[in-house]
Amino acid sequence: MATSEAPEERLKKFKYRGKEMSLRRQQRIDSSLQLRKSRKDEQALKRRNIGLFSSDVVSQALVKEANLTLDDIIKGVNSSDTIMCLLATQAAREMLSQENNPPLDVIIEAGLIPKLVDFLKAAHLPNLQFEAAWALTNIASGTSEQTGVVVKEGAIEPLIELLCSPHLTVSEQAVWALGNIAGDCAEFRDNVISNNAIPHLINLISTNIPITFLRNIAWTLSNLCRNKNPYPPEDAVRQMLPTLCQLLLHHDNEILSDTCWALSYLTEGGKDYIHHVVTTGILPRLVELMSSSELNVLTPCLHTMGNIVAGTNEQTQMVIDAGMLKVLGQVLRHPKSSIQKLAAWVMSNVAAGPRHHVQQLILCNLLPVLVNLLRNAELKVQKEAVCTVANFATGASQSQLTLLAYSGVLEPMLNLLTAPDMEVITVILDVISYLLQIDDLEDKKRLCFQIEEVGGFEKIESLQHHHNSYISHSALNIIEKYLYEEEDDDILPKPGLRV
């Protein structure tokens, strides 16, 4: 299971996972956190507007004709002439909208941000409001320090007021700017929330709203769900969830993607946040979206499902009842290894639950799919599959363990003892050691024969001199306990010629 911990520390948790459910649950959460760390760049945190349109074609042409310098822009925004203010603001926005290396710091150091914020309040000049909001959007698409300047100069309140503008382009640009600010960090997100942005955002949604505008709202809502330490206020989550449920029924893939990302961020927050999500009745729709052919929808949908089944047993059962395991098999067969890995992580989290959850994996015929992943998938997917076996084994009943042992997992899993990944090797050795602790002598005998037949003990013997001390000690313990000491009890065949 993917984790940032040292193998030795992680495996200490694994060894006792079968004895203490809370530790098994914690490992599921740890895995969830690691997967989340690895996908931070999969959804755009911020967006810069480099569009070619303008609010005023005539004044746009004048800007190009005037070819204003930075000094001209500074003089223009401080002019009492509203036309000069508009031209200068448009020129600044053009500089900030260039595709490569926009001069964000130049504009900040020129002291233009306070004037741009003032222009947001010019209700009688919607073109100026629009250009100022656009410029601030692009400043807020920069670093945290650059976004911080926009916040410090008081842009949040007037931007939220612009959500009520009668001019669609103005309110849409304000949505975009607020999305960039909220996506920067938890502090700025909560600042946007505390200024009552959510009701205004939700009120913008109507049946005739342009699709591009609705996409921006969905993305901004996802950024209001984003970031942790702390997670979003639960009151805000309750405000947003009905709208997120509504957006999840939309046909547009961008809207579905951002909505699924929003749900994935919320479900990262633990059982209370998961409770808010699952009690909306949204799970059947998420199960439907697991069959999406669009990666930008399927990926965050799987993240959401994986987070939910890392919650309580009751929350996991709700996902199972919604039919998730019935479609998980087809997702595990997806041609993209990134999707296979996520789906295997979801299955691993279910396998970490109680025995009746393990039984559901068996009844949904997921063991053959697991064997196929262990045998044929890329290493990063095999790694998650090994963790599924580990979680399965440590919580299974005796009959479930027997099913696992005879499902075909042993050979491909033992073959991975030669993989160039110490974490995979350590987990496999712990699984073998755990399986060999079974009490029934006949079952142990059959298991040892199985391991021997596929060359497992030979591979384990070769690891006794591994440079990693945990691996070498684990291998030595297995060999001493089950290969040498128990030969006297005829558990394994004696060395020598077999006829």
Side-chain angles (χ1 to χ4, degrees):
M1 190 171 289
T3 177
S4 57
E5 296 173 341
E8 292 83 354
E9 281 303 308
R10 190 194 56 73
L11 281 158
K12 287 176 185 174
K13 288 184 181 180
F14 171 80
K15 288 179 74 174
Y16 299 101
R17 196 170 50 197
K19 296 178 182 179
E20 290 188 35
M21 179 64 72
S22 61
L23 287 179
R24 294 176 59 221
R25 277 286 169 200
Q26 186 58 47
Q27 191 190 36
R28 287 163 53 155
I29 294 167
D30 290 345
S31 172
S32 166
L33 288 171
Q34 179 62 21
L35 277 169
R36 290 197 296 273
K37 289 176 186 174
S38 70
R39 64 102 172 103
K40 280 186 177 178
D41 295 330
E42 291 181 25
Q43 189 212 23
L45 176 66
K46 296 185 177 183
R47 296 173 176 172
R48 192 159 55 89
N49 189 349
I50 56 173
L52 299 177
F53 65 93
S54 173
S55 59
D56 187 330
V57 175
V58 174
S59 58
Q60 178 73 6
L62 289 173
V63 169
K64 290 182 178 178
E65 185 179 331
N67 194 23
L68 299 182
T69 65
L70 181 61
D71 285 341
D72 293 332
I73 291 171
I74 295 171
K75 290 176 184 175
V77 298
N78 288 289
S79 170
S80 58
D81 184 340
T82 56
I83 297 297
M84 284 305 301
C85 287
L86 177 60
L87 291 176
T89 303
Q90 283 182 326
R93 183 264 298 163
E94 277 200 340
M95 292 175 66
L96 294 167
S97 300
Q98 64 188 48
E99 195 160 355
N100 297 314
N101 302 314
L104 274 63
D105 284 329
V106 170
I107 297 298
I108 291 170
E109 289 163 9
L112 297 184
I113 306 303
K115 293 301 297 183
L116 293 175
V117 171
D118 284 342
F119 292 159
L120 295 176
K121 305 167 189 174
H124 61 295
L125 298 169
N127 286 348
L128 183 58
Q129 288 179 308
F130 172 77
E131 293 292 348
W134 187 344
L136 290 169
T137 296
N138 288 358
I139 292 285
S141 74
T143 65
S144 288
E145 290 75 17
Q146 291 162 341
T147 306
V149 175
V150 174
V151 173
K152 183 181 177 182
E153 295 297 339
I156 289 178
E157 287 189 35
L159 283 170
I160 291 173
E161 289 176 11
L162 289 185
L163 297 178
C164 299
S165 170
H167 304 279
L168 206 63
T169 54
V170 174
S171 56
E172 182 174 2
Q173 196 59 58
V175 169
W176 195 332
L178 290 166
N180 277 348
I181 292 169
D184 187 88
C185 63
E187 179 188 350
F188 295 166
R189 176 205 66 205
D190 289 347
N191 195 332
V192 172
I193 290 172
S194 66
N195 278 283
N196 210 32
I198 293 173
H200 292 300
L201 283 168
I202 292 171
N203 288 337
L204 288 170
I205 299 175
S206 64
T207 54
N208 60 349
I209 185 173
I211 189 66
T212 54
F213 196 167
L214 189 58
R215 286 171 181 165
N216 267 330
I217 292 172
W219 172 74
T220 297
L221 286 173
S222 77
N223 272 358
L224 288 170
C225 297
R226 195 172 192 146
N227 291 309
K228 49 198 172 188
N229 299 322
Y231 285 96
E234 291 187 55
D235 285 345
V237 172
R238 283 189 286 267
Q239 274 186 305
M240 288 186 281
L241 272 173
T243 300
L244 293 174
C245 292
Q246 177 187 344
L247 292 173
L248 204 66
L249 298 174
H250 206 278
H251 63 275
D252 183 77
N253 286 325
E254 283 189 40
I255 290 171
L256 289 174
S257 177
D258 284 324
T259 306
C260 284
W261 278 122
L263 295 172
S264 81
Y265 302 144
L266 294 179
T267 51
E268 287 173 8
K271 63 180 182 180
D272 292 337
Y273 285 85
I274 293 171
H275 173 77
H276 295 313
V277 171
V278 298
T279 52
T280 62
I282 210 170
L283 290 176
R285 177 56 175 161
L286 287 170
V287 171
E288 285 179 17
L289 293 176
M290 286 177 63
S291 299
S292 174
S293 59
E294 300 295 328
L295 287 179
N296 69 333
V297 175
L298 180 56
T299 299
C301 180
L302 288 173
H303 275 288
T304 302
M305 287 304 210
N307 289 339
I308 294 172
V309 295
T312 65
N313 290 336
E314 293 74 20
Q315 290 163 346
T316 301
Q317 187 62 52
M318 290 177 72
V319 174
I320 295 172
D321 291 343
M324 188 268 286
L325 295 182
K326 294 175 183 176
V327 299
L328 186 60
Q330 76 180 45
V331 185
L332 288 162
R333 297 183 184 93
H334 197 280
K336 284 278 188 180
S337 60
S338 59
I339 297 298
Q340 291 175 3
K341 180 182 177 183
L342 275 174
W345 167 65
V346 173
M347 178 167 57
S348 177
N349 279 351
V350 176
R355 290 174 180 178
H356 62 276
H357 289 171
V358 171
Q359 189 63 26
Q360 288 298 312
L361 294 174
I362 295 169
L363 293 175
C364 289
N365 205 32
L366 291 177
L367 285 182
V369 188
L370 179 61
V371 172
N372 183 59
L373 293 179
L374 288 167
R375 196 181 302 278
N376 300 315
E378 292 182 18
L379 181 58
K380 64 182 181 181
V381 181
Q382 290 173 320
K383 192 170 184 175
E384 292 298 330
V386 166
C387 289
T388 301
V389 175
N391 284 346
F392 190 116
T394 55
S397 66
Q398 199 66 45
S399 61
Q400 289 169 338
L401 277 178
T402 302
L403 260 175
L404 178 67
Y406 286 95
S407 67
V409 300
L410 281 176
E411 181 178 7
M413 184 174 70
L414 288 164
N415 286 340
L416 289 172
L417 287 173
T418 60
D421 189 306
M422 287 193 296
E423 190 175 4
V424 168
I425 296 170
T426 52
V427 173
I428 293 171
L429 290 175
D430 265 17
V431 170
I432 297 301
S433 180
Y434 184 86
L435 290 174
L436 288 171
Q437 292 175 24
I438 56 178
D439 297 327
D440 188 278
L441 188 60
E442 286 303 311
D443 284 342
K444 184 183 292 188
K445 190 173 183 179
R446 283 193 293 269
L447 180 60
C448 287
F449 270 113
Q450 269 194 284
I451 295 172
E452 176 70 11
E453 284 295 314
V454 298
F457 282 118
E458 184 178 341
K459 290 184 177 71
I460 293 170
E461 278 189 293
S462 70
L463 293 172
Q464 292 177 95
H465 305 293
H466 196 279
H467 66 274
N468 179 277
S469 60
Y470 187 92
I471 291 175
S472 59
H473 289 153
S474 295
L476 181 62
N477 288 338
I478 292 172
I479 295 304
E480 286 182 344
K481 191 167 185 180
Y482 301 107
L483 187 59
Y484 296 143
E485 290 182 6
E486 300 192 8
E487 281 181 353
D488 294 335
D489 296 324
D490 291 326
I491 285 186
L492 288 177
K494 297 293 191 291
L497 182 65
R498 299 184 192 177
V499 295

